[in-house]
Amino acid sequence: MNIMDFNVKKLAADAGTFLSRAVQFTEEKLGQAEKTELDAHLENLLSKAECTKTWTEKILKQTEVLLQPNPNARIEEFVYEKLDRKAPSRINNPELLGQYMIDAGTEFGPGTAYGNALIKCGETQKRIGTADRELIQTSALNFLTPLRNFIEGDYKTIAKERKLLQNKRLDLDAAKTRLKKAKAAETRASSEQELRITQSEFDRQAEITRLLLEGISSTHAHHLRCLNDFVEAQMTYYAQCYQYMLDLQKQLGSFPSNYHCNNNQTSMAPVPSASSNVSSPALTSTSGLVMTSPSNLIDHKECSGSRKARVLYDYDAANSSELSLLADEVITVFSVVGMDSDWLMGERGNQKGRVPITYLELLN
């Protein structure tokens, strides 16, 4: 027998097997043939595997959206990944915003309050962008990759063996049907032999599939560890962002600045922290900013000598030119020629430094 004859016979056998399965499947759907049911344990394992695959796909997709909201960027990264090439580095949104702020502050003038503040904010945004990049890299390595490996690796193997089990089950039931229809002794003996073979192959495939499916529990344990890594990466990211913004807030608190309401008549000094207790001498605008009362400002501007002031809120000095304050303490304050109108010079014993007037209640 040459190779061509062997191939022809093999193709004919495969075609016969395919036809037999198709007939069995059709008759089962029409209710004209019996179907061998899988045991309850195996059915439960199959259901668990399918549920794991479905939710893993959803979590994977939504995490990718969370880390990279730009769909075009996600497609580009997917293409580069399939080509086994590294995607080109691109500036992210916080970094781009930070660069715009730095450029604007440079053009307005680093020596101006607004320009200096823009530069400080831009530098912070760029640090947040770097932290965002680190979060994406860490999450992709420790969380997304294991989930993707399950979908594209382990589950594909399970699906392949499950399909093979289905085919073996169809072969078994087709053999049972032929045995029922066999009348001649010779035909019946052949059908019984075929049934024993198909039953053995079905049992063997069911055992292989069961062993693979029982590995889903290990998959859940592995994904739990990956989830912990993802949460830790997020915790690190948000902690970094919080610290960056806290530092920025302190830096901005040291800048003298004037804010104006819509009528351009009420000027406001640096705003105390949201956690400070608001005292009655302070007024609250509709935007939530705390303003000193106009009478306080008038008293200050009319006073050229030193006077006492009660501290309304805690204040941490941003640099050596400022004086830290504690709520409810009484200090001596006085104005200095050329100093911004939102600031006074404060004195406590032998300590002296600038203090924001919004933190003070001037005493008579």
Side-chain angles (χ1 to χ4, degrees), residues 42 61 64 120 167 184 186 207 209 236 341 351 357 359:
L42 187 55
K61 181 178 180 181
E64 290 175 336
K120 294 294 184 184
N167 290 337
E186 183 178 345
E207 182 64 16
T209 306
T236 300
S341 61
Q351 295 179 325
I357 63 174
Y359 284 69

Side-chain angles (χ1 to χ4, degrees), residues 68-338:
Q68 177 51 270
N70 187 338
N72 293 330
R74 292 200 304 273
I75 293 174
E76 182 181 353
E77 290 171 358
F78 175 78
V79 172
Y80 274 100
E81 181 182 347
K82 290 302 180 183
L83 295 176
D84 197 20
R85 294 174 58 187
K86 184 178 180 180
S89 178
R90 64 159 54 86
I91 188 170
N92 57 30
N93 290 330
E95 290 172 332
L96 183 60
L97 174 60
Q99 190 59 53
Y100 285 165
M101 287 182 168
I102 292 173
D103 293 344
T106 302
E107 186 165 344
F108 294 151
T112 65
Y114 184 42
N116 198 353
L118 277 172
I119 292 174
K120 294 294 184 184
C121 288
E123 291 171 347
T124 299
Q125 289 296 331
K126 294 188 81 169
R127 283 196 289 269
I128 291 176
T130 300
D132 186 67
R133 195 182 300 277
E134 292 173 354
L135 170 65
I136 292 175
Q137 292 173 349
T138 303
S139 301
L141 178 64
N142 297 333
F143 187 61
L144 296 182
T145 299
L147 297 187
R148 191 176 293 112
N149 287 342
F150 168 74
I151 297 297
E152 298 178 357
D154 294 349
Y155 188 79
K156 280 190 175 180
T157 301
I158 290 174
K160 178 182 177 181
E161 296 300 330
R162 181 179 184 175
K163 183 178 180 180
L164 189 55
L165 176 63
Q166 171 73 354
N167 290 337
K168 295 299 182 182
R169 200 269 308 160
L170 289 171
D171 292 342
L172 173 62
D173 289 335
K176 289 179 179 179
T177 301
R178 283 191 290 271
L179 179 60
K180 286 182 179 180
K181 294 179 179 180
K183 295 182 179 180
E186 183 178 345
T187 304
R188 188 171 185 81
S190 175
S191 298
E192 289 175 349
Q193 177 66 19
E194 180 188 11
L195 178 60
R196 284 192 293 270
I197 294 173
T198 54
Q199 182 70 60
S200 175
E201 291 178 349
F202 171 76
D203 292 341
R204 179 176 176 275
Q205 185 57 39
E207 182 64 16
I208 293 173
T209 306
R210 182 185 64 79
L211 291 174
L212 281 174
L213 291 171
E214 287 177 346
I216 291 294
S217 297
S218 299
T219 298
H220 284 192
H222 178 51
H223 287 181
L224 174 59
R225 293 191 294 271
C226 296
L227 181 61
N228 286 332
D229 291 340
F230 178 54
V231 170
E232 184 175 347
Q234 284 187 303
M235 182 183 68
T236 300
Y237 168 73
Y238 289 119
Q240 286 178 325
C241 292
Y242 174 76
Q243 187 60 51
Y244 293 154
M245 299 309 295
L246 196 63
D247 294 341
L248 176 62
Q249 185 185 46
K250 290 181 179 179
Q251 293 176 26
L252 294 181
S254 67
F255 295 159
S257 57
N258 292 324
Y259 300 93
H260 300 277
C261 296
N262 290 335
N263 58 14
N264 291 324
Q265 293 177 353
T266 306
S267 97
M268 293 175 286
V271 181
S273 169
S275 62
S276 304
N277 294 323
V278 180
S279 181
S280 58
L283 302 177
T284 304
S285 71
T286 55
S287 63
L289 295 175
V290 179
M291 305 177 290
T292 55
S293 64
S295 62
N296 257 3
L297 293 177
I298 294 171
D299 288 345
H300 160 61
K301 290 174 182 177
E302 292 178 349
C303 177
S304 58
S306 63
R307 64 190 298 182
K308 297 294 184 180
R310 185 173 68 87
V311 178
L312 299 176
Y313 326 101
D314 290 343
Y315 177 73
D316 294 328
N319 52 53
S320 59
S321 69
E322 297 180 9
L323 181 66
S324 294
L325 303 174
L326 294 175
D328 295 325
E329 70 171 326
V330 177
I331 64 172
T332 300
V333 295
F334 55 91
S335 59
V336 176
V337 177

